[in-house]
């Protein structure tokens, strides 16, 4: 533990002209007293650490000293490619690994380029969770992420409705969608490979037994420790393509009803902003010829009449529900109530 901290301290000093004890203590998550002892230990080991006294003082390396301890370990190299998603790294328990990787890369750069990571971070930031919700980090995410990195079989308990089912999974990849973590995994031989996805999750078990599981529905996870608990990946599996396909399937599977709507030109433009993208695409593909008032009739796939009422209400006078009659009457009652308020 201390050896790793000393190496990190050297890399920090190598990547910057000078750092105060307080700055080093904050970066290394130790006390300033520990920083003083570590600097003394480095000096005794032959690393030329010099302490400047005074209010503007700090620690620095003398004489352009450069360590050769900049080679990236495999886990550090892999984490480096995720460094643009700091929140995700933190939640998966990879923050320290990514930090070490960034320091090593920074230490290997020319002095004129060492501020590249800082200038990039000041200009670009990815905030994955959606608005108006408090992101929750699933408690079991770190061990799941570790199994994904190490290609180890997971034995899990998964909450499906009011029951918990046992599964043995080959964890292929993690997806963070609008603040929610999902696992793309293949059910091992002997598990239930057929039928729909567990708990109505995104996608089903078709296509080699791959399914999608919400991480926050896992009740327990245990990674296999034996050599035979490592699985051989299907090299044809591509996580981005798999996710896009399953997300589309999931969104379309929810659309179990249809609503016929007459739209103004403004309603046509606004429709993609109030219904699901797949619903808007299919609806706009059914556009008929305009009537004398310039309105067109479309058939909108919807999840239910309740959902359609909430979504289409946002279009206000730019949309007239033609069918089903029950939904049309519901809009008529809402229109009368609103007319009374604004009379």
């Amino acid at each position: 533990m201390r050896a790793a901290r000393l190496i990190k301290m050297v890399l920090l000093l190598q990547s910057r002209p000078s750092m105060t004890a307080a700055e080093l203590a904050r970066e290394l998550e130790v006390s300033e007293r520990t920083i003083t002892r570590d600097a003394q230990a480095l000096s005794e080991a032959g690393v030329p650490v010099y302490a400047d006294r005074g209010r503007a003082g700090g620690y620095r390396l003398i004489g352009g000293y450069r360590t050769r301890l900049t080679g990236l370990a495999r886990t550090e190299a892999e984490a480096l490619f995720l460094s643009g998603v700091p929140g995700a790294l933190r939640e998966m328990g990879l923050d320290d690994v990514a930090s070490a990787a960034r320091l090593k890369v920074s230490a290997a750069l020319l002095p004129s380029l060492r501020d590249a990571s800082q200038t990039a971070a000041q200009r670009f930031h990815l905030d994955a969770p959606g608005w108006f919700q408090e992101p929750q980090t699933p408690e079991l995410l770190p061990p799941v992420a570790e199994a994904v990195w190490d290609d180890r079989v997971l034995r899990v308990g998964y909450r499906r409705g009011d029951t918990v089912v046992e599964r043995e999974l080959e964890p292929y990849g993690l997806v963070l969608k609008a603040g929610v973590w999902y696992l793309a995994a293949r059910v091992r031989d002997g598990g239930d490979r057929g039928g729909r996805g567990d708990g109505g999750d995104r996608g089903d078990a078709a296509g080699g037994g791959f399914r999608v599981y919400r991480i926050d529905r896992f009740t327990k996870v245990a990674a296999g420790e034996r050599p035979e608990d490592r699985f051989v990946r299907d090299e044809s599996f591509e996580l981005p393509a798999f996710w896009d396909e399953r997300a589309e399937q999931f969104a379309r599977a929810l659309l179990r009803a249809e609503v016929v709507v007459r739209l103004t030109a403004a309603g046509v433009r606004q429709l993609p902003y109030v219904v699901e993208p797949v619903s808007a695409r299919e609806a706009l593909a059914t556009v008929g010829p305009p009537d004398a008032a310039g309105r067109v009739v479309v058939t909108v796939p919807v999840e239910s009449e309740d959902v359609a009422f909430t979504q289409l209400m946002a279009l206000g006078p730019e949309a007239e529900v033609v069918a089903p009659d029950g939904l049309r009457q519901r809009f008529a009652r809402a229109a009368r109530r609103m007319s009374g308020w604004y009379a």
Side-chain angles (χ1 to χ4, degrees):
M1 182 69 177
R2 190 190 187 199
R5 188 175 71 244
L6 291 175
I7 292 172
K8 190 172 182 179
M9 183 174 176
V10 172
L11 292 173
L12 282 168
L13 293 175
Q14 185 172 311
S15 64
R16 306 179 194 181
S18 175
M19 293 185 71
T20 66
E23 290 171 335
L24 285 167
R26 186 165 55 251
E27 289 280 354
L28 299 175
E29 298 181 346
V30 294
S31 67
E32 293 186 33
R33 184 184 296 273
T34 299
I35 293 300
T36 301
R37 288 198 297 265
D38 285 353
Q40 181 64 32
L42 286 172
S43 180
E44 292 173 355
V47 178
V49 178
Y50 181 77
D52 290 316
R53 305 297 179 185
R55 294 184 60 183
Y59 291 94
R60 60 186 175 87
L61 295 175
I62 300 176
Y65 175 86
R66 295 183 61 79
T67 176
R68 297 182 181 272
L69 298 173
T70 53
L72 291 178
R74 179 176 182 82
T75 54
E76 293 170 343
E78 290 170 337
L80 190 60
F81 285 98
L82 292 172
S83 59
V85 197
L89 281 168
R90 238 183 350 262
E91 293 177 6
M92 289 190 290
L94 296 174
D95 199 27
D96 287 342
V97 175
S99 175
R102 288 192 294 268
L103 276 173
K104 289 183 178 181
V105 170
S106 179
L109 292 174
L110 293 172
S112 60
L113 299 177
R114 286 180 192 159
D115 66 342
S117 61
Q118 182 179 359
T119 55
Q122 289 172 339
R123 289 163 174 80
F124 302 101
H125 175 68
L126 176 61
D127 185 10
W131 289 103
F132 312 118
Q133 59 182 353
E134 188 69 26
Q136 299 291 331
T137 302
E139 182 180 349
L140 298 176
L141 177 60
V144 173
E146 186 176 348
V148 170
W149 283 112
D150 207 26
D151 295 340
R152 292 202 172 272
V153 173
L154 278 176
R155 295 172 183 84
V156 306
Y158 188 73
R159 189 172 63 256
R160 189 169 65 184
D162 295 330
T163 63
V164 174
V165 296
E166 304 286 332
R167 289 287 182 267
E168 191 170 273
L169 305 175
E170 296 175 356
Y172 268 68
L174 288 165
V175 175
L176 177 60
K177 171 69 171 179
V180 180
W181 282 95
Y182 297 89
L183 172 69
R186 183 158 62 183
V187 184
R188 294 214 98 187
D189 291 334
D192 177 15
R193 285 180 176 265
R196 56 197 281 275
D198 282 344
D201 282 345
R202 298 178 185 269
D204 54 26
F210 287 104
R211 293 184 177 181
V212 177
Y213 298 85
R214 279 186 61 141
I215 301 296
D216 58 9
R217 292 186 186 173
F218 284 127
T219 59
K220 63 179 180 179
V221 299
E225 300 293 340
R226 302 168 301 175
E228 58 266 32
D229 287 326
R230 294 180 69 97
F231 65 92
V232 179
R233 282 179 167 263
D234 180 349
E235 295 300 327
S236 66
F237 178 83
E238 295 182 1
L239 182 59
F242 168 80
W243 177 259
D244 288 344
E245 177 186 355
R246 294 306 167 91
E248 179 86 4
Q249 290 175 357
F250 175 75
R252 188 62 189 85
L254 291 177
L255 306 178
R256 303 184 179 94
E258 290 184 342
V259 175
V260 180
V261 184
R262 188 176 286 115
L263 298 172
T264 65
V268 170
R269 292 193 299 270
Q270 294 171 20
L271 185 66
Y273 299 100
V274 301
V275 299
E276 296 294 332
V278 62
S279 181
R281 286 198 303 270
E282 294 189 15
L284 296 178
T286 68
V287 171
D291 60 16
R295 298 191 301 172
V296 297
V297 174
V298 298
T299 300
V300 185
V302 295
E303 184 175 344
S304 66
E305 290 189 18
D306 285 341
V307 172
F309 179 80
T310 301
Q311 292 176 330
L312 297 177
M313 182 64 77
L315 295 178
E318 310 304 332
E320 175 195 356
V321 173
V322 178
D325 187 64
L327 184 60
R328 178 180 174 84
Q329 295 305 318
R330 187 172 175 180
F331 269 90
R333 290 192 297 271
R336 287 193 293 269
R337 289 180 63 195
M338 292 181 68
S339 177
W341 294 336
Y342 290 103

